[in-house]
Amino acid sequence: MLDSSLKEQVQNLMSGLEADYVLDITVSPQHENRAELLELLDEVAGCSGKITCNVKEGAGLEFSLWKNGQDTGIKFRGIPTGHEFSSLLLAILNSDGKGKNIPDEATCNRIGALPGDIRLTTYVSLSCTNCPDVVQSLNLITLLNGRIRHEMVDGALCQAEVDALKIQGVPAVFANGRLLHAGKSDFGELLGKLEAHYGTDSQQPAEVKHYDVIVIGGGPGGSAAAIYSARKGLRVALLAERIGGQVKETVGIENLISVSYTTGENLAANLKAHIQTYPVNMFEYRRVEKVEMDGKEKIVTATGGEKFVAPVVIIATGASWRKLNVPGETKYTGHGVAFCPHCDGPFYKGKHVAVVGGGNSGIEAAIDLAGICSKVTVFEFLDELKADRILQEKAKSQPNIELFLSTQTLEVVGDEEKVTGIRVKNRRTDEERLIELDGIFVQIGLMPNSAVFKELVNTNRAGEIEIDTHCRTSQPGIYAAGDVTTVPFKQIIISMGEGAKAALTAFEDHIRGKN
C-alpha cells in the first residue's frame, strides 16, 4: 500500500520516537475494508520498532492510539489514507512531543483549562483538503487535555450515521453529540469555540509582556510590519489567530510579482519562516479581545487574559468571508449552506446548487461546481458581473451554468434538516420567487476584521479603519495596514507594502517623539 519512497519518509519521521505506541484495532472479520486497514497499519508499524499493532475482532472498523500502555484518547473510525494519512502520522508524532503545531506554554494552559469530559467526533471525506487541519488540531487538543477524547470518522464508511445527522458538508465536528463546527477551520478557531462552549477553569493571572511594537494580525500585512519593525532593532510581538491569515484559504496565487505561482499554504509557510529569521516573538492562536489606552501605552488583551503592553500597535487583522445575513443562513450552515466549493462540492454531485456572488471567487466556484453538479445558478446583486472577463466568458460557455443579475437573496429555505431552496428578489421588478435546489455556496467577498478596534480608532461605514497615506489612524501610536483599512484594492502585494509602510512610519514617529 505504501510505496518504497513513502515508507522511507515515514521511517525517517518515526526514527526519533521515544515512547512505545500501539495501534489498537477493532474490526469485524466480515468488514469489506478489513484487509485494507490491516495492511496500512501493519506497514506503518513496520516503519518503526516503537509501533506495534493489536488486532481484536468486533463490530465495525476502528482503531485507537495508545502510548506506553495508556489510551491517548485519539481514535480513527475509518482508514486514514489520502489527505488523512498525515493525520495518523502527526497523531503519533504529537503524542511523542514532536511534529508541527506544538503550541506554546500559554496555549497549552488554555487547553488544559477546558473543563469536564468532552467527546469530539469529526466527520470527514478522505478527498477533503481542509479536513486534516481540523482532525489534527482536535487530536492535538486531545493530547493536551486528558478529559477530552476525539475520533475521526470517514463519512463514506459510515453513511447511515452521516444521513441520520443530516451532514451535508465536511469537516463536521460534534461535541458530546451536538454540532460544534462545520467547514474549514484551524487550531485557534476550534480552541476558541471549545472555550466559548464549555468555559474555562483557568485561575492563573496572566503575565504582562512588554514590547516596543505589538503587531496584531499574521497575514501578509502583519508579517511585513513585524519584519520591518524587527529590522529596526525594536522588540516586537506578533499576535495572530493564524500566520498567513486569509491567504491560507487561497488555492492558487499568480499575481505576487516575481513569484509566477504559489499556493496560499506555501505562502503562509514562507511568511512564518521569514518571520522566524528575526527576533520576533510570535504568539499564534491569539484572538485580541480589547485594546486599552494608558497614557502613551497601549494594553492589548488576548483570549485567556494574556496582556501585552507597548507604545505602538500596528493593526493588520485583514478581512474574513462575508455572510449573507439572511434568515436560514446560520441554521443551515453545514446542512446545505457552504463557503468552500473545493471541500463541499463533491456532496452535491448531480444536484442543483446556487452560487451567491458574481466576483472572481463566485464565478470560479461556479465553474468548478459545473463539472460535478447537474446545474449551477449564479446570483449577483449588482447589474453586472464583477469577475474578470475571461472568467465570465468561461462561465457563459458552460451549458449548466445560469446567471441572474440584479438579484437580492432574501432567505435560505429548508425543511428543518437541510436546504431545499433559496428565496430571491429581482431588484428591477421587485418580483420574488422561490427556487428549489440542494445547496448554496456563498461567495460575496470580504468583511474587515475591525470590530475590536471600532471604539478606539475611526472606521468608515464599511467598517474599514481609516488611515492616512502613512498608515496612521485617528489614535496616535496606533497604525493600520492591509485589508482591514481603507486602502484601495485588497491584494496580497498591497498588504505587504502597507505593512512595511506602517512599520516605517511608526519607527519614524518614534524617533521624532510622536508616539
Side-chain angles (χ1 to χ4, degrees):
M1 178 172 285
L2 304 182
D3 61 34
S4 58
S5 174
L6 186 53
K7 280 185 180 180
E8 184 177 352
Q9 292 179 48
V10 176
Q11 288 169 354
N12 290 335
L13 285 171
M14 302 300 167
S15 62
L17 290 180
E18 299 173 22
D20 294 313
Y21 294 93
V22 175
L23 302 175
D24 193 48
I25 307 163
T26 302
V27 60
S28 167
Q30 289 78 39
H31 201 289
E32 61 180 346
N33 300 101
R34 174 188 173 94
E36 182 183 358
L37 175 69
L38 296 181
E39 180 184 359
L40 173 68
L41 298 186
D42 185 62
E43 291 191 7
V44 170
C47 292
S48 171
K50 290 287 189 178
I51 307 173
T52 57
C53 292
N54 178 43
V55 184
K56 299 175 291 187
E57 292 187 0
L61 177 149
E62 63 183 39
F63 67 96
S64 300
L65 177 64
W66 287 60
K67 173 184 177 181
N68 290 338
Q70 299 292 320
D71 189 353
T72 63
I74 294 174
K75 179 188 290 186
F76 292 84
R77 270 203 289 144
I79 305 171
T81 54
H83 295 296
E84 290 301 339
F85 185 61
S86 61
S87 296
L88 169 59
L89 300 184
L90 267 176
I92 298 171
L93 290 171
N94 288 164
S95 296
D96 217 55
K98 301 176 177 65
K100 69 175 185 177
N101 293 338
I102 302 296
D104 57 42
E105 182 180 359
T107 303
C108 288
N109 290 339
R110 286 172 59 193
I111 295 169
L114 289 167
D117 292 325
I118 304 173
R119 299 292 181 265
L120 300 171
T121 305
T122 303
Y123 292 87
V124 307
S125 165
L126 298 182
S127 64
C128 171
T129 57
N130 290 327
C131 289
D133 288 338
V134 171
V135 172
Q136 292 163 23
S137 295
L138 295 178
N139 280 346
L140 187 52
I141 288 172
T142 298
L143 292 171
L144 294 170
N145 185 321
R147 298 184 297 273
I148 298 175
R149 304 181 72 82
H150 175 236
E151 64 176 348
M152 180 219 80
V153 180
D154 179 2
L157 294 185
C158 303
Q159 192 60 53
E161 223 171 295
V162 169
D163 292 342
L165 292 169
K166 310 300 180 184
I167 296 172
Q168 287 189 294
V170 290
V173 181
F174 288 77
N176 293 339
R178 301 186 66 178
L179 184 66
L180 176 75
H181 174 83
K184 182 179 176 69
S185 190
D186 55 32
F187 185 96
E189 182 182 14
L190 292 166
L191 175 56
K193 286 195 171 186
L194 286 169
E195 289 175 324
H197 193 77
Y198 290 100
T200 177
D201 283 339
S202 178
Q203 302 296 324
Q204 295 286 339
E207 176 189 358
V208 179
K209 304 175 179 72
H210 293 264
Y211 291 91
D212 297 318
V213 178
I214 298 170
V215 178
I216 305 174
S223 299
I227 289 170
Y228 267 74
S229 295
R231 286 175 61 85
K232 293 298 184 181
L234 302 174
R235 293 172 299 147
V236 182
L238 175 62
L239 279 60
E241 294 184 47
R242 55 180 175 170
I243 302 300
Q246 190 77 10
V247 159
K248 294 191 75 171
E249 299 183 21
T250 304
V251 177
I253 299 169
E254 299 177 321
N255 57 357
L256 184 58
I257 307 307
S258 84
V259 180
S260 58
Y261 179 83
T262 188
T263 66
E265 288 287 346
N266 286 339
L267 179 56
N270 289 339
L271 289 174
K272 188 169 188 176
H274 196 175
I275 294 167
Q276 289 173 329
T277 64
Y278 291 92
V280 174
N281 286 351
M282 274 194 297
F283 297 91
E284 208 169 354
Y285 316 127
R286 272 33 173 219
R287 178 186 292 273
V288 171
E289 294 187 336
K290 61 181 176 180
V291 180
E292 301 169 286
M293 302 290 295
D294 183 9
K296 287 191 174 183
E297 296 293 310
K298 286 79 181 173
I299 304 170
V300 179
T301 303
T303 304
E306 280 183 287
K307 293 186 182 296
F308 303 82
V309 179
V312 171
V313 168
I314 300 175
I315 302 168
T317 45
S320 54
W321 293 116
R322 190 180 298 276
K323 295 186 177 181
L324 295 168
N325 293 319
V326 299
E329 179 184 28
T330 299
K331 180 177 182 178
Y332 292 107
T333 294
H335 296 275
V337 175
F339 296 86
C340 179
H342 306 289
C343 301
D344 297 334
F347 285 90
Y348 299 91
K349 183 177 181 179
K351 296 183 178 181
H352 180 193
V353 301
V355 173
V356 181
N360 283 346
S361 60
I363 299 304
E364 286 175 353
I367 294 169
D368 287 343
L369 292 166
I372 53 177
C373 298
S374 62
K375 185 176 181 181
V376 181
T377 303
V378 178
F379 298 110
E380 167 55 44
F381 183 83
L382 299 179
D383 296 334
E384 59 183 20
L385 296 176
K386 298 169 289 183
D388 294 342
R389 180 61 57 184
I390 189 170
L391 292 175
Q392 293 188 38
E393 292 174 355
K394 176 69 173 177
K396 291 174 181 177
S397 71
Q398 303 299 307
N400 59 337
I401 294 179
E402 61 178 358
L403 303 167
F404 289 94
L405 304 177
S406 307
T407 303
Q408 179 182 357
T409 301
L410 300 178
E411 181 185 6
V412 173
V413 179
D415 60 4
E416 298 301 320
E417 295 180 348
K418 64 183 186 301
V419 166
T420 59
I422 186 170
R423 190 178 302 280
V424 297
K425 181 177 75 172
N426 184 312
R427 294 175 49 247
R428 292 179 175 175
T429 65
D430 286 335
E431 177 190 1
E432 295 184 14
R433 60 176 177 151
L434 173 65
I435 299 175
E436 295 184 355
L437 41 72
D438 304 290
I440 301 167
F441 288 82
V442 181
Q443 301 280 298
I444 55 173
L446 301 170
M447 179 172 61
N449 298 321
S450 62
V452 174
F453 315 106
K454 284 187 175 181
E455 300 301 318
L456 195 65
V457 297
N458 292 342
T459 59
N460 65 10
R461 186 174 180 180
E464 298 169 324
I465 296 175
E466 295 179 345
I467 58 172
D468 66 12
T469 56
H470 286 69
C471 296
R472 297 184 183 96
T473 71
S474 57
Q475 186 70 252
I478 298 183
Y479 306 82
D483 289 3
V484 74
T485 74
T486 51
V487 67
F489 309 116
K490 312 306 184 185
Q491 298 290 309
I492 293 170
I493 195 167
I494 292 175
S495 291
M496 287 180 172
E498 290 291 297
K501 188 200 297 183
L504 293 173
T505 300
F507 181 73
E508 185 176 274
D509 288 350
H510 169 69
I511 61 177
R512 294 183 179 182
K514 293 183 178 180
N515 57 36

